[in-house]
Amino acid sequence: MADHKNAPEVEHLNFIEQMVEEDIRTGKHGGRVHTRFPPEPNGYLHIGHSKSICLNFGLADKYKGKTNLRFDDTNPEKEEQEYVNSIKEDIRWLGFEWENEFYASDYFEQIYQFAVTLIKKGLAYVDDQSAEVIASQKGTPTEAGKASPFRDRSVEENLDLFARMRAGEFAEGSRVLRAKVDMASPNMHLRDPLMYRIKFDHHHRTGDKWKIYPMYDFAHGQSDSIENITHSICTLEFEVHRPLYEWYIKQLGIFPSQQIEFARLNLNYTVMSKRKLLRLVTEKYVSGWDDPRMPTISGFRRRGFTPESIRDFAEKVGIARRENVIDVAVLEFCLREHLNKIAQRRMVVLDPLKVIITNYPDRNSEKLTAENLPGEDHSLYREMSFSKEIYIEREDYMENPSPGYNRFFPGGMVRLKHAFILKCDEAIKNDDGSIKELRCTYFPESRSGQDKSGIKVKGVIHFVNAADAIDVEVRMYDRLFNVEAPDSGEEDFTKYLNPDSLKVISNAKAEPSLSKAKPGEKFQFLRMGYFCADKESTPAKLIFNRTVTLKDTWAKENQVAVGKG
Ligand code: ATP
Ligand code: MG
């Protein structure tokens, strides 16, 4: 047989790695790789950002380079310290550490001086027209734009007006600084783009010092250059900005950072833009940015996702140059794969039905051993108790069993996981006809691991011992939207919110070992799914979030909704 271990590994490089390797080979930037992750602190990070994080930090790791965290804080009105803090926490949780923590706002003076340089070179001018008028002069892709009447102002006048814009002498919206590029360029972004606008808003770091703020295009590339970033990776919509990115750097003669674009990550059954996520929060459709239904990193964390599963997901979806939508089932697959390995097994009954084992001695109880994780390691075993009264899931009994139903029904036999085989003798009913409790008999010889009963049963169910079961709250989370693309149509995306995305079960019964569960701790509740202790969980009130079901059942159960899409 061929020895696969010795077969040479053929590594498949994605297109960015190919570019980076080519740059290293040709000695560009001295073979250095320095990336950055540049979030705007105007919201919490979402799963799309994790793609960019894994890409930027991953490249630096792979090529022994560095990654800066740079807050792109050039929009004073929307940015806040809370967002800065959450972004740092989320990146660290994903498992990455930045080389430097920088802020575009730290470069405001430098960027201002860059603008002065362009004015002096006759490459920028102050325009006294309103934004609307400027927009109306832009032309169309096939028709040249109209030059502003202020385009040929003298350098002296431009320098004077720009200094006075900075000093706060002019009203918001009354003037802008524009680059003088080409009003006839087929690339609309080169038709004398705005560089600075007047804004009197308070900035989260620079306070009221600045009355003018640079536009994205005249801040991002300049910040990259100031930090000597070699590869500036961004999403595809910036491809058309690249000529402008390169124009500014060339005219200023500063470090030639290189912009590279890739397709943003899109996921079905959710929305991703921060503006929409903010609406979900402020309009209280969810409990906050870290609501376990949110596609934010903090939401996934609270829901019980692991950083490993998100990194694995980012790796699996790869990077592309064309927009596409990834099925959330892929993310859930990565999650199940990891949780299956690490989640401690426990028994919890979500919808309890009492069972009385009539032939079990009244005052007896005994200890059972149950494995915490599948495998042979005996140090991973825990104790569970067993006695005359237990709880099982209500759905594990059917009065009139459908064909193939192999759990309890009158006369039916079932094995209790880690315990005994029971035979269902009788169901006791309430006055309204609902089932109050089951009366069963057990087979003392059938104890798991030492079964001498000779009885064969098909069904195995979970249970908890009534005497020491603890009450827990379980929050059953499901997808936040019930259509694949909630924000693709005419309707407001909130119309497609899934009304059943959260169901709270307040009276679930759990085995007592769960009383020690710490917030964030992850479990598999046998047969019920993967769960984690919520951040609000305390020993006095235990709360568990359903992270994900054991299998992907969504598509089957929701065929109709999916079809309507
Ligand atoms: P949004 O539109 O969701 O508000 P954004 O692009 O405005 O996102 P930024 O804070 O500016 O958010 O993004 C920081 C970095 O993350 C940028 O480099 C951006 O390209 C990248 N990024 C944002 N969304 C995605 C996504 N869905 N997939 C991949 N990368 C993304
Ligand atoms: Mg942005």
Side-chain angles (χ1 to χ4, degrees), residues 530-555:
Y530 292 102
F531 293 77
C532 84
D534 188 66
K535 69 167 189 186
E536 290 171 354
S537 184
T538 63
K541 187 181 185 210
L542 291 156
I543 304 170
F544 294 92
N545 299 323
R546 181 170 72 186
T547 309
V548 68
T549 51
L550 290 179
K551 288 192 195 119
D552 184 8
T553 52
W554 176 269

PDB file of all heavy atoms in Angstrom, residues 530-555:
ATOM      1  N   TYR A 530     -26.815  20.733  20.970  1.00  0.00           N
ATOM      2  CA  TYR A 530     -25.693  21.325  21.697  1.00  0.00           C
ATOM      3  C   TYR A 530     -26.188  22.589  22.392  1.00  0.00           C
ATOM      4  O   TYR A 530     -26.954  23.374  21.819  1.00  0.00           O
ATOM      5  CB  TYR A 530     -24.552  21.658  20.735  1.00  0.00           C
ATOM      6  CG  TYR A 530     -23.907  20.422  20.176  1.00  0.00           C
ATOM      7  CD1 TYR A 530     -24.192  19.978  18.887  1.00  0.00           C
ATOM      8  CD2 TYR A 530     -23.025  19.678  20.964  1.00  0.00           C
ATOM      9  CE1 TYR A 530     -23.602  18.826  18.380  1.00  0.00           C
ATOM     10  CE2 TYR A 530     -22.441  18.517  20.460  1.00  0.00           C
ATOM     11  CZ  TYR A 530     -22.727  18.098  19.172  1.00  0.00           C
ATOM     12  OH  TYR A 530     -22.150  16.963  18.693  1.00  0.00           O
ATOM     13  N   PHE A 531     -25.740  22.750  23.624  1.00  0.00           N
ATOM     14  CA  PHE A 531     -26.199  23.864  24.446  1.00  0.00           C
ATOM     15  C   PHE A 531     -24.997  24.482  25.170  1.00  0.00           C
ATOM     16  O   PHE A 531     -23.967  23.822  25.355  1.00  0.00           O
ATOM     17  CB  PHE A 531     -27.207  23.384  25.501  1.00  0.00           C
ATOM     18  CG  PHE A 531     -28.511  22.896  24.902  1.00  0.00           C
ATOM     19  CD1 PHE A 531     -28.588  21.644  24.310  1.00  0.00           C
ATOM     20  CD2 PHE A 531     -29.649  23.690  24.919  1.00  0.00           C
ATOM     21  CE1 PHE A 531     -29.773  21.188  23.736  1.00  0.00           C
ATOM     22  CE2 PHE A 531     -30.843  23.247  24.353  1.00  0.00           C
ATOM     23  CZ  PHE A 531     -30.905  21.988  23.765  1.00  0.00           C
ATOM     24  N   CYS A 532     -25.164  25.741  25.590  1.00  0.00           N
ATOM     25  CA  CYS A 532     -24.132  26.310  26.456  1.00  0.00           C
ATOM     26  C   CYS A 532     -24.795  27.150  27.518  1.00  0.00           C
ATOM     27  O   CYS A 532     -25.921  27.637  27.344  1.00  0.00           O
ATOM     28  CB  CYS A 532     -23.122  27.128  25.652  1.00  0.00           C
ATOM     29  SG  CYS A 532     -23.632  28.798  25.350  1.00  0.00           S
ATOM     30  N   ALA A 533     -24.099  27.285  28.642  1.00  0.00           N
ATOM     31  CA  ALA A 533     -24.637  28.110  29.723  1.00  0.00           C
ATOM     32  C   ALA A 533     -24.557  29.572  29.283  1.00  0.00           C
ATOM     33  O   ALA A 533     -23.529  30.027  28.800  1.00  0.00           O
ATOM     34  CB  ALA A 533     -23.847  27.876  31.005  1.00  0.00           C
ATOM     35  N   ASP A 534     -25.670  30.268  29.424  1.00  0.00           N
ATOM     36  CA  ASP A 534     -25.719  31.673  28.997  1.00  0.00           C
ATOM     37  C   ASP A 534     -24.919  32.541  29.954  1.00  0.00           C
ATOM     38  O   ASP A 534     -24.680  32.176  31.103  1.00  0.00           O
ATOM     39  CB  ASP A 534     -27.170  32.156  28.961  1.00  0.00           C
ATOM     40  CG  ASP A 534     -27.284  33.533  28.348  1.00  0.00           C
ATOM     41  OD1 ASP A 534     -27.006  33.654  27.137  1.00  0.00           O
ATOM     42  OD2 ASP A 534     -27.613  34.496  29.069  1.00  0.00           O
ATOM     43  N   LYS A 535     -24.561  33.744  29.457  1.00  0.00           N
ATOM     44  CA  LYS A 535     -23.807  34.662  30.319  1.00  0.00           C
ATOM     45  C   LYS A 535     -24.634  35.109  31.525  1.00  0.00           C
ATOM     46  O   LYS A 535     -24.091  35.523  32.537  1.00  0.00           O
ATOM     47  CB  LYS A 535     -23.320  35.869  29.522  1.00  0.00           C
ATOM     48  CG  LYS A 535     -24.409  36.821  29.073  1.00  0.00           C
ATOM     49  CD  LYS A 535     -23.821  38.138  28.569  1.00  0.00           C
ATOM     50  CE  LYS A 535     -24.938  39.155  28.330  1.00  0.00           C
ATOM     51  NZ  LYS A 535     -24.491  40.397  27.720  1.00  0.00           N
ATOM     52  N   GLU A 536     -25.960  35.002  31.429  1.00  0.00           N
ATOM     53  CA  GLU A 536     -26.808  35.395  32.561  1.00  0.00           C
ATOM     54  C   GLU A 536     -27.053  34.242  33.531  1.00  0.00           C
ATOM     55  O   GLU A 536     -27.741  34.404  34.534  1.00  0.00           O
ATOM     56  CB  GLU A 536     -28.174  35.885  32.043  1.00  0.00           C
ATOM     57  CG  GLU A 536     -28.102  37.205  31.312  1.00  0.00           C
ATOM     58  CD  GLU A 536     -29.419  37.568  30.622  1.00  0.00           C
ATOM     59  OE1 GLU A 536     -30.360  36.733  30.615  1.00  0.00           O
ATOM     60  OE2 GLU A 536     -29.493  38.684  30.084  1.00  0.00           O
ATOM     61  N   SER A 537     -26.508  33.085  33.230  1.00  0.00           N
ATOM     62  CA  SER A 537     -26.758  31.916  34.067  1.00  0.00           C
ATOM     63  C   SER A 537     -26.030  32.026  35.405  1.00  0.00           C
ATOM     64  O   SER A 537     -24.860  32.407  35.457  1.00  0.00           O
ATOM     65  CB  SER A 537     -26.270  30.664  33.318  1.00  0.00           C
ATOM     66  OG  SER A 537     -26.571  29.514  34.058  1.00  0.00           O
ATOM     67  N   THR A 538     -26.731  31.731  36.492  1.00  0.00           N
ATOM     68  CA  THR A 538     -26.111  31.723  37.827  1.00  0.00           C
ATOM     69  C   THR A 538     -26.504  30.414  38.504  1.00  0.00           C
ATOM     70  O   THR A 538     -27.463  29.767  38.088  1.00  0.00           O
ATOM     71  CB  THR A 538     -26.651  32.882  38.701  1.00  0.00           C
ATOM     72  OG1 THR A 538     -28.057  32.678  38.896  1.00  0.00           O
ATOM     73  CG2 THR A 538     -26.396  34.230  38.056  1.00  0.00           C
ATOM     74  N   PRO A 539     -25.797  30.032  39.581  1.00  0.00           N
ATOM     75  CA  PRO A 539     -26.192  28.792  40.281  1.00  0.00           C
ATOM     76  C   PRO A 539     -27.637  28.860  40.762  1.00  0.00           C
ATOM     77  O   PRO A 539     -28.330  27.838  40.830  1.00  0.00           O
ATOM     78  CB  PRO A 539     -25.214  28.741  41.461  1.00  0.00           C
ATOM     79  CG  PRO A 539     -24.018  29.508  40.988  1.00  0.00           C
ATOM     80  CD  PRO A 539     -24.557  30.608  40.112  1.00  0.00           C
ATOM     81  N   ALA A 540     -28.123  30.057  41.055  1.00  0.00           N
ATOM     82  CA  ALA A 540     -29.501  30.181  41.532  1.00  0.00           C
ATOM     83  C   ALA A 540     -30.500  30.056  40.384  1.00  0.00           C
ATOM     84  O   ALA A 540     -31.618  29.580  40.568  1.00  0.00           O
ATOM     85  CB  ALA A 540     -29.693  31.521  42.237  1.00  0.00           C
ATOM     86  N   LYS A 541     -30.078  30.528  39.202  1.00  0.00           N
ATOM     87  CA  LYS A 541     -30.966  30.383  38.043  1.00  0.00           C
ATOM     88  C   LYS A 541     -30.128  29.986  36.842  1.00  0.00           C
ATOM     89  O   LYS A 541     -29.468  30.805  36.213  1.00  0.00           O
ATOM     90  CB  LYS A 541     -31.702  31.688  37.760  1.00  0.00           C
ATOM     91  CG  LYS A 541     -32.737  31.474  36.675  1.00  0.00           C
ATOM     92  CD  LYS A 541     -33.517  32.687  36.285  1.00  0.00           C
ATOM     93  CE  LYS A 541     -34.589  32.238  35.289  1.00  0.00           C
ATOM     94  NZ  LYS A 541     -34.948  33.253  34.343  1.00  0.00           N
ATOM     95  N   LEU A 542     -30.176  28.706  36.545  1.00  0.00           N
ATOM     96  CA  LEU A 542     -29.361  28.191  35.447  1.00  0.00           C
ATOM     97  C   LEU A 542     -30.080  28.398  34.117  1.00  0.00           C
ATOM     98  O   LEU A 542     -31.269  28.091  33.996  1.00  0.00           O
ATOM     99  CB  LEU A 542     -29.083  26.709  35.672  1.00  0.00           C
ATOM    100  CG  LEU A 542     -28.155  26.448  36.852  1.00  0.00           C
ATOM    101  CD1 LEU A 542     -28.370  25.047  37.412  1.00  0.00           C
ATOM    102  CD2 LEU A 542     -26.700  26.654  36.450  1.00  0.00           C
ATOM    103  N   ILE A 543     -29.344  28.952  33.164  1.00  0.00           N
ATOM    104  CA  ILE A 543     -29.927  29.223  31.847  1.00  0.00           C
ATOM    105  C   ILE A 543     -29.015  28.640  30.774  1.00  0.00           C
ATOM    106  O   ILE A 543     -27.810  28.898  30.769  1.00  0.00           O
ATOM    107  CB  ILE A 543     -30.062  30.738  31.605  1.00  0.00           C
ATOM    108  CG1 ILE A 543     -30.885  31.395  32.712  1.00  0.00           C
ATOM    109  CG2 ILE A 543     -30.683  31.009  30.227  1.00  0.00           C
ATOM    110  CD1 ILE A 543     -30.857  32.911  32.671  1.00  0.00           C
ATOM    111  N   PHE A 544     -29.611  27.874  29.879  1.00  0.00           N
ATOM    112  CA  PHE A 544     -28.831  27.289  28.778  1.00  0.00           C
ATOM    113  C   PHE A 544     -29.388  27.750  27.430  1.00  0.00           C
ATOM    114  O   PHE A 544     -30.610  27.848  27.259  1.00  0.00           O
ATOM    115  CB  PHE A 544     -28.856  25.759  28.857  1.00  0.00           C
ATOM    116  CG  PHE A 544     -28.146  25.248  30.080  1.00  0.00           C
ATOM    117  CD1 PHE A 544     -28.846  25.016  31.259  1.00  0.00           C
ATOM    118  CD2 PHE A 544     -26.773  25.051  30.067  1.00  0.00           C
ATOM    119  CE1 PHE A 544     -28.188  24.573  32.402  1.00  0.00           C
ATOM    120  CE2 PHE A 544     -26.111  24.608  31.199  1.00  0.00           C
ATOM    121  CZ  PHE A 544     -26.820  24.373  32.370  1.00  0.00           C
ATOM    122  N   ASN A 545     -28.461  28.039  26.519  1.00  0.00           N
ATOM    123  CA  ASN A 545     -28.850  28.412  25.154  1.00  0.00           C
ATOM    124  C   ASN A 545     -28.691  27.210  24.249  1.00  0.00           C
ATOM    125  O   ASN A 545     -27.660  26.535  24.308  1.00  0.00           O
ATOM    126  CB  ASN A 545     -27.916  29.501  24.609  1.00  0.00           C
ATOM    127  CG  ASN A 545     -27.978  30.766  25.434  1.00  0.00           C
ATOM    128  OD1 ASN A 545     -29.050  31.139  25.914  1.00  0.00           O
ATOM    129  ND2 ASN A 545     -26.827  31.413  25.603  1.00  0.00           N
ATOM    130  N   ARG A 546     -29.661  26.978  23.399  1.00  0.00           N
ATOM    131  CA  ARG A 546     -29.422  25.961  22.384  1.00  0.00           C
ATOM    132  C   ARG A 546     -28.516  26.568  21.310  1.00  0.00           C
ATOM    133  O   ARG A 546     -28.862  27.556  20.686  1.00  0.00           O
ATOM    134  CB  ARG A 546     -30.703  25.455  21.727  1.00  0.00           C
ATOM    135  CG  ARG A 546     -30.337  24.363  20.683  1.00  0.00           C
ATOM    136  CD  ARG A 546     -31.531  23.618  20.152  1.00  0.00           C
ATOM    137  NE  ARG A 546     -32.303  24.477  19.275  1.00  0.00           N
ATOM    138  CZ  ARG A 546     -33.477  24.114  18.764  1.00  0.00           C
ATOM    139  NH1 ARG A 546     -33.996  22.951  19.057  1.00  0.00           N
ATOM    140  NH2 ARG A 546     -34.137  24.939  17.971  1.00  0.00           N
ATOM    141  N   THR A 547     -27.366  25.974  21.143  1.00  0.00           N
ATOM    142  CA  THR A 547     -26.396  26.465  20.163  1.00  0.00           C
ATOM    143  C   THR A 547     -26.799  25.996  18.771  1.00  0.00           C
ATOM    144  O   THR A 547     -26.895  26.784  17.842  1.00  0.00           O
ATOM    145  CB  THR A 547     -24.994  25.922  20.504  1.00  0.00           C
ATOM    146  OG1 THR A 547     -24.729  26.210  21.881  1.00  0.00           O
ATOM    147  CG2 THR A 547     -23.936  26.570  19.644  1.00  0.00           C
ATOM    148  N   VAL A 548     -27.032  24.707  18.664  1.00  0.00           N
ATOM    149  CA  VAL A 548     -27.395  24.131  17.362  1.00  0.00           C
ATOM    150  C   VAL A 548     -28.004  22.750  17.616  1.00  0.00           C
ATOM    151  O   VAL A 548     -27.712  22.111  18.620  1.00  0.00           O
ATOM    152  CB  VAL A 548     -26.142  24.052  16.438  1.00  0.00           C
ATOM    153  CG1 VAL A 548     -25.138  23.025  16.941  1.00  0.00           C
ATOM    154  CG2 VAL A 548     -26.498  23.799  14.983  1.00  0.00           C
ATOM    155  N   THR A 549     -28.853  22.339  16.702  1.00  0.00           N
ATOM    156  CA  THR A 549     -29.441  21.009  16.823  1.00  0.00           C
ATOM    157  C   THR A 549     -28.369  19.965  16.491  1.00  0.00           C
ATOM    158  O   THR A 549     -27.320  20.282  15.952  1.00  0.00           O
ATOM    159  CB  THR A 549     -30.608  20.856  15.829  1.00  0.00           C
ATOM    160  OG1 THR A 549     -30.135  21.248  14.539  1.00  0.00           O
ATOM    161  CG2 THR A 549     -31.778  21.746  16.214  1.00  0.00           C
ATOM    162  N   LEU A 550     -28.661  18.707  16.781  1.00  0.00           N
ATOM    163  CA  LEU A 550     -27.668  17.658  16.505  1.00  0.00           C
ATOM    164  C   LEU A 550     -27.515  17.416  15.021  1.00  0.00           C
ATOM    165  O   LEU A 550     -26.451  17.069  14.541  1.00  0.00           O
ATOM    166  CB  LEU A 550     -28.060  16.350  17.197  1.00  0.00           C
ATOM    167  CG  LEU A 550     -27.947  16.346  18.716  1.00  0.00           C
ATOM    168  CD1 LEU A 550     -28.392  14.996  19.256  1.00  0.00           C
ATOM    169  CD2 LEU A 550     -26.534  16.668  19.162  1.00  0.00           C
ATOM    170  N   LYS A 551     -28.622  17.605  14.306  1.00  0.00           N
ATOM    171  CA  LYS A 551     -28.574  17.404  12.854  1.00  0.00           C
ATOM    172  C   LYS A 551     -29.189  18.611  12.189  1.00  0.00           C
ATOM    173  O   LYS A 551     -29.902  19.374  12.813  1.00  0.00           O
ATOM    174  CB  LYS A 551     -29.383  16.157  12.461  1.00  0.00           C
ATOM    175  CG  LYS A 551     -28.739  14.873  12.839  1.00  0.00           C
ATOM    176  CD  LYS A 551     -29.463  13.719  12.141  1.00  0.00           C
ATOM    177  CE  LYS A 551     -29.087  12.400  12.785  1.00  0.00           C
ATOM    178  NZ  LYS A 551     -30.232  11.698  13.356  1.00  0.00           N
ATOM    179  N   ASP A 552     -28.938  18.744  10.903  1.00  0.00           N
ATOM    180  CA  ASP A 552     -29.523  19.842  10.148  1.00  0.00           C
ATOM    181  C   ASP A 552     -30.939  19.477   9.754  1.00  0.00           C
ATOM    182  O   ASP A 552     -31.157  18.699   8.841  1.00  0.00           O
ATOM    183  CB  ASP A 552     -28.671  20.104   8.907  1.00  0.00           C
ATOM    184  CG  ASP A 552     -29.186  21.301   8.136  1.00  0.00           C
ATOM    185  OD1 ASP A 552     -30.089  21.994   8.648  1.00  0.00           O
ATOM    186  OD2 ASP A 552     -28.684  21.542   7.032  1.00  0.00           O
ATOM    187  N   THR A 553     -31.913  20.008  10.497  1.00  0.00           N
ATOM    188  CA  THR A 553     -33.304  19.647  10.226  1.00  0.00           C
ATOM    189  C   THR A 553     -34.058  20.790   9.559  1.00  0.00           C
ATOM    190  O   THR A 553     -35.189  20.637   9.142  1.00  0.00           O
ATOM    191  CB  THR A 553     -34.039  19.326  11.541  1.00  0.00           C
ATOM    192  OG1 THR A 553     -33.830  20.413  12.428  1.00  0.00           O
ATOM    193  CG2 THR A 553     -33.538  18.049  12.148  1.00  0.00           C
ATOM    194  N   TRP A 554     -33.414  21.952   9.495  1.00  0.00           N
ATOM    195  CA  TRP A 554     -34.128  23.149   9.040  1.00  0.00           C
ATOM    196  C   TRP A 554     -34.750  22.972   7.654  1.00  0.00           C
ATOM    197  O   TRP A 554     -35.932  23.174   7.457  1.00  0.00           O
ATOM    198  CB  TRP A 554     -33.183  24.347   9.038  1.00  0.00           C
ATOM    199  CG  TRP A 554     -33.821  25.579   8.504  1.00  0.00           C
ATOM    200  CD1 TRP A 554     -33.818  26.000   7.211  1.00  0.00           C
ATOM    201  CD2 TRP A 554     -34.596  26.536   9.233  1.00  0.00           C
ATOM    202  NE1 TRP A 554     -34.526  27.166   7.093  1.00  0.00           N
ATOM    203  CE2 TRP A 554     -35.010  27.514   8.311  1.00  0.00           C
ATOM    204  CE3 TRP A 554     -34.983  26.652  10.563  1.00  0.00           C
ATOM    205  CZ2 TRP A 554     -35.784  28.602   8.685  1.00  0.00           C
ATOM    206  CZ3 TRP A 554     -35.758  27.745  10.933  1.00  0.00           C
ATOM    207  CH2 TRP A 554     -36.140  28.695  10.015  1.00  0.00           C
ATOM    208  N   ALA A 555     -33.945  22.591   6.688  1.00  0.00           N
ATOM    209  CA  ALA A 555     -34.408  22.545   5.304  1.00  0.00           C
ATOM    210  C   ALA A 555     -35.639  21.655   5.174  1.00  0.00           C
ATOM    211  O   ALA A 555     -36.608  21.994   4.509  1.00  0.00           O
ATOM    212  CB  ALA A 555     -33.289  22.045   4.397  1.00  0.00           C
TER     213      ALA A 555
END
